[in-house]
Amino acid sequence: MDKKWWKEEVVYQIYPRSYKDNDNNGYGDIQGIISKLDYIKSLGANVIWLSPVYKSPDDDNGYDISDYYDINPKLGTLDDMKELFAEAKKRDMRIIMDLVINHTSDEHPWFIEAKNNPDSKYRDYYYFRKGKKNGKKAPNNWSGYFSGPAWEKIEGTDDYYLHLFSKKQPDLNYHNPAVLEEVKNICKFWLDLGCSGFRCDVINIIYKSSLEDGKPRIFLTGKEHYVSQDGCHKILKEIRHEVLDKYDCFTVGESSEATMDMAKDLTNDELHMLFCFEHLNIDIIGAPVFRTKFKPWKLNKCLTKWQLNFPWNTSFFECHDQVRVVSRYGDDKNYHKESAKAIATLQFGLKGTMFIYEGQEIGMTNVKWNSIDEIDDVSTHYVNKLLKSLHLPKKLSWKLLTNFCRDHARTPMQWDDSINAGFNEGNKTWLKVNENYPTINVKNNLEDKDSIWYYYQDLIALRKSKEGLIYGDFKPVKANKNLMVFERIYGEEKYLVCVNLSKKTIRHNLDTKGKILINNYKKENIDEVLLPYESFIIEK
Ligand code: TEU
C-alpha cells in the first residue's frame, strides 16, 4: 500500500455558516473558523474541508457560486481567507476547499450574459435548448436531484436551460473546452493561494454524453446519460495531469450513484479518493425521502464489500447533506453516548481516510422541526412542493420530509450552554439552534473525561500511533447479525475491531485475547457478553 500524508490524516468538515459567528451577523464566518483552529487541532484533525465560502446568492448555501474568485461577504473577505491559510499553516494544518463545477449560480455573470444574449460566447457554457412542442414541453424527460423537472423555461422564449439541482444552479456544459479551461484556472488560483486540495462536488455527473430522454425512474430519470461517462473520465484525467499533479494536494470526489466499477475508474489516475454513499443508502428505498429501519447487518454487508474490494477510500458517516448518524444508526435517546462512540469505533476501525463532520465529535443529533418555515434547505422545499402536489396525508408528508431534511446537520455548532449555544452573542441565527444545546455542547464534553469528544480524541491518536490501523488489510469476522467484527492486519500487526450496532446485550465467542486499545465501556477485560452498543479495538 502506497503511503501518503492524506491517507494518515483526519479531515474535519466545516459548514462555514454554521460553525462560529464572530461578527454576530447570524452566519458563521471565516474569522470564526480561525478562532477555532486550536480547538480542531486539539481533537487531532489536521486537515479542514470547508464547504463553499465563495460569493453566492445562497440558494443552496454556497453550492450555487456567482464568483469563484471571491468570498461570500456574509462569511468574510478574501483577506480573511488568506489569513485562514496562514493561520492553518502556522499550526501545520491544511485547508481543502469545495470545488463546485457541475453548475454555477444563475447569478454568475456567465449565466446572466448567456441568458440575456443568445449570441454571447457564454451561451455555450450551459445547456440551452429549445423546448418540444413549440416550447410547451421541456427538451427531455429528465428529473433533478431535488425532484421535479431538470429544465427551467426562460420566460418569453421557447428556450429552456438544464439544472440537475435547483433552478438557480444551471449545469455547465463540458462539451465546450472553454469551461474546462475556466475550471483549471479556478483550481490554480486557490492552490496558489494556499489550499491543499479540493472536495469536488457531484464530480462524476459533470459530463452529459447526450440529452436524449432517459428511462423513467422514481429518482433521477436521465441519469444513464450523465453518471460517470467517458467524457467525465477524460476531464478528470486532464485536471489531474495539468493542474493537481503539480501541487502537493489531494482531491476527494463526491460521487453520485457510482457503482464499485465506476468508483474504481474515478480513482484511477483521476481523483485521489471518493465519497461513495452506498453505506448511507442502506435505509433508503428508491428516493432519499423513503426511509426504513436501520439494520446493522445491511451496513456490515455494504461496508465489508467496499472494504474488501476498494484499495483506498474515505471512511465517513456524516456530512452536511446527511442526517446525524447518532440519530440514524445509533440511539440518540437511550444510548446517546454509547452509540455515538460505537459508530466512532467503527469508522476509525475501517480502512480509509477519515472524514468527520462538525458536531459529530460531540454527538450532535437530529432536530425537532415544528414547521416548514423553520427549514432553510432548498431540497426540502422542493420535495415539500412535490409532496403537496401528491395530496398525501399531512402527517405522512411531514414524516417523509423530516426523515431526510438536510438541515438536521446544518444547525449552528453547539459550543456551550450560553445563548445560541455560543455560536454568536445572541443575535438571530440563520437556522435555529438545536434545543438540546444546554446538554450537548463542546464545553460539557471538554469537562467530562468520559465524553464523546475525548473518545474521538483517543481514537484519532490511536490511529495515528498504529500504522496497521491505517494501512492494514481488512478481514471480516463472522459474528451475530447485530455486530460488525473485523480484523486489520499489517505484517506482524493485528487488530480486532468489534462493534455492537444494537441496543441488545449480545453473547459472543470471539477470541478477545490481547491488549484492549479502546473500549467505550472502559472494561478491563472483554467478557462474553457485549453491552448495548459496546465496541472495542484489541491489539492481538
Ligand atoms: O450534493 C449532491 C447530492 O447528491 C445531495 O445533495 C443529494 O441530493 C442529497 O444528499 C439527497 O438527500 C452536493 C452537495 O453536497 C449538496 O450540498 C448540494 O446541494 C449539491 O451537491 C448541489 O451542489
Side-chain angles (χ1 to χ4, degrees):
M1 171 81 58
D2 235 14
K3 291 188 184 172
K4 293 275 186 254
W5 64 266
W6 45 265
K7 292 183 176 171
E8 299 172 11
E9 282 305 345
V10 174
V11 185
Y12 185 94
Q13 184 196 350
I14 291 182
Y15 199 63
R17 72 199 52 233
S18 299
Y19 203 53
K20 178 77 179 96
D21 176 17
N22 270 22
D23 66 2
N24 209 29
N25 70 348
Y27 295 84
D29 43 50
I30 297 169
Q31 284 300 331
I33 296 169
I34 294 174
S35 69
K36 293 297 180 186
L37 286 176
D38 289 330
Y39 164 79
I40 298 163
K41 177 100 190 166
S42 70
L43 184 65
N46 290 320
V47 182
I48 293 172
W49 150 28
L50 281 190
S51 275
V53 288
Y54 314 95
K55 218 171 206 174
S56 160
D58 279 344
D59 180 57
D60 190 9
N61 296 344
Y63 284 92
D64 48 321
I65 298 172
S66 55
D67 186 348
Y68 288 89
Y69 296 97
D70 208 350
I71 300 296
N72 185 335
K74 285 180 200 155
L75 313 181
T77 63
L78 199 55
D79 279 338
D80 290 329
M81 215 34 221
K82 289 181 189 161
E83 193 182 327
L84 174 59
F85 287 135
E87 288 298 322
K89 198 166 175 200
K90 263 193 213 161
R91 294 165 173 81
D92 255 336
M93 296 172 83
R94 306 185 195 232
I95 307 287
I96 71 161
M97 298 188 65
D98 221 302
L99 188 70
V100 188
I101 57 166
N102 176 67
H103 43 267
T104 67
S105 161
D106 66 336
E107 295 181 38
H108 193 291
W110 300 338
F111 187 79
I112 295 175
E113 177 67 22
K115 186 178 160 191
N116 294 341
N117 175 8
D119 298 326
S120 140
K121 71 166 185 172
Y122 294 113
R123 189 77 172 182
D124 197 33
Y125 272 40
Y126 299 89
Y127 290 101
F128 288 93
R129 293 292 184 277
K130 286 240 164 309
K132 290 181 181 163
K133 300 203 167 149
N134 292 330
K136 283 196 197 77
K137 258 186 92 188
N140 68 28
N141 68 349
W142 295 8
S143 59
Y145 279 78
F146 295 162
S147 81
W151 294 90
E152 179 70 10
K153 191 166 193 226
I154 302 171
E155 247 178 75
T157 74
D158 292 346
D159 295 339
Y160 289 70
Y161 64 87
L162 177 70
H163 63 92
L164 288 180
F165 294 88
S166 101
K167 64 179 182 189
K168 286 185 68 61
Q169 293 168 302
D171 281 53
L172 285 164
N173 169 20
Y174 282 90
H175 291 262
N176 179 352
V179 174
L180 182 54
E181 288 314 305
E182 300 275 9
V183 168
K184 288 184 206 160
N185 289 335
I186 293 165
C187 292
K188 282 188 219 150
F189 175 83
W190 290 102
L191 288 165
D192 288 336
L193 214 64
C195 99
S196 297
F198 301 101
R199 174 268 188 188
C200 309
D201 193 57
V202 286
I203 197 69
N204 65 325
I205 65 165
I206 59 174
Y207 190 87
K208 283 76 181 169
S209 45
S210 95
L211 295 180
E212 299 286 298
D213 274 349
K215 180 181 145 217
R217 300 172 199 269
I218 305 184
F219 186 54
L220 297 181
T221 295
K223 72 173 180 179
E224 62 274 28
H225 298 292
Y226 57 78
V227 171
S228 297
Q229 305 291 300
D230 286 344
C232 174
H233 295 305
K234 200 172 152 270
I235 289 167
L236 292 177
K237 285 201 167 68
E238 197 169 322
I239 298 178
R240 175 79 181 252
H241 295 155
E242 290 183 26
V243 183
L244 301 169
D245 279 349
K246 305 205 158 82
Y247 297 81
D248 181 21
C249 69
F250 73 86
T251 50
V252 50
E254 183 201 28
S255 68
S256 171
E257 310 281 310
T259 60
M260 175 84 65
D261 285 339
M262 289 174 185
K264 283 188 175 157
D265 288 341
L266 288 162
T267 48
N268 176 19
D269 204 22
E270 296 179 15
L271 299 151
H272 296 85
M273 49 194 159
L274 277 185
F275 290 127
C276 297
F277 289 88
E278 210 176 297
H279 68 296
L280 296 178
N281 288 338
I282 53 162
D283 57 351
I284 290 176
I285 316 167
V289 287
F290 301 117
R291 306 266 160 140
T292 56
K293 222 176 134 227
F294 166 58
K295 299 261 175 30
W297 66 267
K298 280 195 186 170
L299 182 65
N300 191 348
K301 193 171 160 209
C302 172
L303 288 173
T304 300
K305 180 181 91 181
W306 282 88
Q307 289 279 309
L308 286 176
N309 296 300
F310 209 81
W312 189 269
N313 215 357
T314 53
S315 174
F316 74 102
F317 282 97
E318 287 202 1
C319 72
H320 63 291
D321 291 334
Q322 299 290 328
V323 297
R324 291 288 185 178
V325 70
V326 67
S327 307
R328 183 182 193 179
Y329 293 170
D331 180 341
D332 62 4
K333 304 224 161 43
N334 305 302
Y335 296 99
H336 177 248
K337 224 185 208 182
E338 294 82 356
S339 64
K341 290 179 182 178
I343 293 160
T345 315
L346 173 59
Q347 178 177 354
F348 279 76
L350 294 171
K351 187 175 66 171
T353 299
M354 297 295 138
F355 284 78
I356 54 178
Y357 177 65
E358 62 179 39
Q360 188 184 333
E361 76 274 27
I362 55 168
M364 275 177 67
T365 68
N366 282 354
V367 180
K368 190 180 169 302
W369 303 107
N370 299 307
S371 86
I372 187 78
D373 305 330
E374 288 183 340
I375 294 171
D376 170 274
D377 172 26
V378 60
S379 73
T380 308
H381 284 281
Y382 266 83
V383 175
N384 186 38
K385 246 197 221 152
L386 171 78
L387 294 177
K388 268 194 167 157
S389 72
L390 297 175
H391 302 290
L392 294 180
K394 267 203 178 126
K395 233 177 147 179
L396 175 63
S397 289
W398 186 240
K399 191 166 181 315
L400 294 176
L401 270 188
T402 51
N403 271 349
F404 92 100
C405 172
R406 303 189 299 180
D407 281 350
H408 283 297
R410 299 176 178 184
T411 54
M413 179 72 181
Q414 292 163 214
W415 293 105
D416 57 37
D417 56 3
S418 69
I419 190 157
N420 289 341
F423 169 70
N424 65 17
E425 285 166 11
N427 195 1
K428 63 178 171 42
T429 57
W430 74 275
L431 187 66
K432 79 170 187 178
V433 180
N434 191 328
E435 62 194 24
N436 64 20
Y437 80 87
T439 42
I440 299 179
N441 63 56
V442 171
K443 185 165 165 268
N444 279 353
N445 269 257
L446 293 180
E447 282 166 6
D448 169 13
K449 280 282 169 211
D450 188 39
S451 69
I452 298 168
W453 195 92
Y454 282 109
Y455 195 81
Y456 269 96
Q457 191 191 43
D458 286 349
L459 270 173
I460 294 174
L462 177 63
R463 184 172 176 275
K464 283 191 178 157
S465 71
K466 306 280 183 192
E467 274 208 316
L469 283 176
I470 300 174
Y471 293 112
D473 287 335
F474 170 95
K475 189 174 160 221
V477 175
K478 261 202 156 15
N480 179 291
K481 68 177 190 320
N482 289 312
L483 301 182
M484 176 143 182
V485 188
F486 51 93
E487 290 176 337
R488 299 291 307 281
I489 302 164
Y490 190 62
E492 300 286 287
E493 285 179 57
K494 190 167 165 185
Y495 305 91
L496 178 73
V497 181
C498 171
V499 183
N500 179 359
L501 283 161
S502 76
K503 53 177 166 238
K504 297 200 174 88
T505 302
I506 296 173
R507 200 163 276 283
H508 71 91
N509 53 11
L510 298 165
D511 173 6
T512 55
K513 276 196 292 299
K515 184 177 165 207
I516 303 175
L517 297 176
I518 197 157
N519 167 244
N520 60 348
Y521 280 88
K522 293 217 156 94
K523 283 185 186 165
E524 303 231 327
N525 290 301
I526 305 293
D527 37 47
E528 65 277 12
V529 172
L530 293 175
L531 298 173
Y533 296 101
E534 180 167 349
S535 60
F536 58 79
I537 302 180
I538 285 177
E539 188 170 32
K540 307 293 283 177

